[in-house]
């Protein structure tokens, strides 16, 4: 969904993370959904429009069982930017899920076997953007003539703005998602980000998701440089230290390259006095950078 949709399978596919998100956001921390009650289901569905088949794909989707009976289908959609088409998109995902259930019932009827019960479909939109998401209903995002408003069914989506969760809610998470929620809360509400020292369980998937959510590929680069042995016990604070150290090193390299280029231009111009002063005087060097538009 939106301009930065996360469609590849990542951290949220793990049952411990999936149940953690649902239990905190839907059930206020009560552990109603259990890991062994989930069954993976295909996130991709097909929709026929004008005689052509179009595929649509949820980010993550699972069937929730209770005593081996299906009680719900729950799906996640990740967003890093506000998308006013979200109600239509979620409605199409949910509608496709209900249509698939109806198709299954029709097959059972043709085979003269007992059809399954229709189960509710729940979609959570996990929002990691900076702006507020204030339009969550179909009626709010499309222009409906007054004469039709009573006849156009409304559709509400469940948007959870991760940065605006309370500290109490963040503390309810028990999986790796707690570190992500903590990061986004502190990013927008605290002057400084003090990283968690909690050990990350699903290391590769965690930092792939962080890269996708922040657009900062240094997270994935840092973890790719680690050995499999080192990945057995990784904390956010350690990764940020690696990122900061790499930044400082690169900054030194860039500074040296810039100085070398400046000295070369001064040498070519025969400005020996400026050449000697630029080597030892940092403030004078900055003036020369401006002069040469560097």
């Amino acid at each position: 969904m939106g301009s930065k949709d996360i469609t590849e399978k990542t951290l949220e596919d793990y049952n411990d993370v999936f149940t953690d998100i649902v239990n905190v956001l839907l059930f206020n921390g009560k552990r109603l959904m259990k890991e062994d009650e989930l069954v993976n289901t295909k996130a991709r569905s097909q929709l026929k429009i004008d005689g052509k088949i179009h595929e649509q794909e949820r980010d993550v989707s699972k069937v929730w069982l209770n005593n081996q009976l299906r009680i719900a289908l729950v799906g996640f959609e990740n967003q890093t930017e506000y998308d006013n088409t979200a109600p239509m998109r979620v409605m199409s995902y949910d509608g496709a899920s209900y249509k698939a259930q109806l198709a299954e019932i029709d097959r059972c009827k043709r085979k003269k076997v007992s059809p399954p019960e229709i189960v509710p479909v729940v979609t959570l939109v996990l929002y990691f953007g900076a702006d507020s998401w204030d339009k969550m209903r179909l009626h709010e995002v499309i222009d409906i003539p007054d004469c039709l408003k009573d006849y156009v069914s409304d559709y509400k989506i469940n948007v959870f703005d991760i940065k605006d969760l309370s500290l109490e809610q963040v503390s309810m998470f028990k999986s790796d998602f707690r570190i992500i929620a903590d990061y986004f809360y502190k990013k927008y509400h605290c002057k400084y980000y003090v990283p968690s020292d909690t050990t990350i369980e699903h290391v590769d998937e965690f930092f792939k998701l962080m890269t996708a959510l922040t657009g900062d590929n240094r997270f994935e680069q840092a973890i790719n440089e680690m050995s499999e042995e080192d990945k057995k016990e990784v904390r956010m604070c350690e990764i940020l230290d690696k990122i900061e150290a790499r930044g400082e090193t690169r900054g030194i390299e860039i500074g040296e390259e810039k100085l070398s280029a400046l000295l070369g231009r001064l040498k070519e111009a025969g400005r020996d006095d400026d050449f000697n002063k630029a080597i030892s005087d940092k403030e004078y060097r900055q003036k020369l950078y401006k002069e040469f538009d560097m």
Side-chain angles (χ1 to χ4, degrees):
M1 290 171 56
S3 60
K4 233 180 181 181
D5 181 28
I6 304 156
T7 55
E8 69 176 26
K9 297 296 173 274
T10 55
L11 184 71
E12 296 153 354
D13 280 307
Y14 287 96
N15 283 0
D16 64 316
V17 179
F18 192 98
T19 57
D20 195 30
I21 293 171
V22 171
N23 286 329
V24 172
L25 297 183
L26 297 191
F27 308 135
N28 199 33
K30 294 180 181 177
R31 301 288 144 175
L32 300 185
M33 179 184 281
K34 308 292 194 304
E35 291 181 46
D36 59 2
E37 296 174 340
L38 294 179
V39 174
N40 291 331
T41 184
K42 63 178 182 179
R44 180 170 296 175
S45 60
Q46 292 184 336
L47 183 68
K48 181 178 283 189
I49 301 175
D50 296 332
K52 296 181 180 179
I53 297 296
H54 300 263
E55 286 193 335
Q56 51 189 9
E57 186 173 11
R58 289 181 180 272
D59 289 349
V60 184
S61 176
K62 293 180 185 286
V63 173
W64 185 12
L65 303 177
N66 187 2
N67 294 323
Q68 299 306 306
L69 296 176
R70 299 187 305 170
I71 61 174
L73 186 148
V74 182
F76 294 164
E77 296 299 322
N78 297 286
Q79 281 288 146
T80 58
E81 294 181 6
Y82 170 71
D83 179 7
N84 66 354
T85 67
M88 288 82 82
R89 293 178 184 274
V90 172
M91 184 168 61
S92 69
Y93 295 146
D94 293 352
S97 297
Y98 283 118
K99 185 174 181 180
Q101 293 186 64
L102 290 174
E104 185 177 351
I105 289 174
D106 289 340
R107 284 194 297 270
C108 290
K109 287 181 177 178
R110 288 195 298 270
K111 294 179 179 180
K112 300 187 183 305
V113 297
S114 297
E117 296 290 331
I118 293 287
V119 300
V121 179
V122 180
T123 299
L124 286 68
V125 178
L126 307 180
Y127 178 51
F128 301 90
D131 299 326
S132 296
W133 192 309
D134 56 356
K135 294 182 179 180
M136 305 181 190
R137 293 182 176 276
L138 181 64
H139 279 204
E140 295 175 328
V141 298
I142 61 175
D143 188 15
I144 307 172
D146 291 340
C147 60
L148 294 177
K149 190 159 288 189
D150 290 342
Y151 306 101
V152 177
S153 297
D154 202 358
Y155 203 85
K156 176 182 176 294
I157 59 175
N158 307 301
V159 178
F160 297 91
D161 193 332
I162 303 303
K163 75 175 185 302
D164 286 339
L165 297 179
S166 67
L167 281 176
E168 181 183 6
Q169 286 174 299
V170 172
S171 68
M172 290 178 185
F173 291 110
K174 307 300 181 186
S175 69
D176 288 343
F177 195 80
R178 178 175 181 172
I179 305 172
I180 290 178
D182 176 72
Y183 173 86
F184 279 91
Y185 177 89
K186 290 177 178 176
K187 177 181 178 181
Y188 290 102
H189 297 286
C190 300
K191 188 174 182 180
Y192 301 105
Y193 171 60
V194 179
S196 168
D197 64 352
T198 305
T199 301
I200 298 167
E201 182 72 19
H202 310 292
V203 177
D204 287 309
E205 293 80 5
F206 177 91
F207 285 104
K208 284 179 182 177
L209 184 57
M210 282 296 296
T211 295
L213 294 177
T214 63
D216 188 344
N217 61 11
R218 293 178 300 172
F219 285 108
E220 195 167 353
Q221 288 174 354
I223 206 65
N224 286 341
E225 293 171 0
M226 299 181 69
S227 67
E228 291 303 316
E229 184 65 27
D230 290 338
K231 289 181 184 179
K232 291 180 180 179
E233 192 167 344
V234 178
R235 296 173 176 82
M236 186 68 152
C237 51
E238 297 167 352
I239 295 300
L240 289 181
D241 286 345
K242 288 180 179 293
I243 290 174
E244 185 176 340
R246 185 189 292 110
E248 290 176 355
T249 300
R250 182 57 185 148
I252 292 171
E253 291 174 351
I254 292 172
E256 290 176 345
E257 292 169 1
K258 191 174 180 180
L259 175 58
S260 178
L262 174 65
L263 295 177
R265 294 177 72 170
L266 291 172
K267 194 72 174 175
E268 289 177 5
R271 295 169 59 172
D272 294 340
D273 290 342
D274 288 333
F275 181 96
N276 295 327
K277 195 170 183 180
I279 295 175
S280 58
D281 191 328
K282 184 177 180 180
E283 289 186 6
Y284 190 71
R285 188 159 63 235
Q286 296 301 320
K287 293 179 181 179
L288 293 172
Y289 284 147
K290 291 182 180 179
E291 178 185 338
F292 286 96
D293 195 22
M294 297 177 66

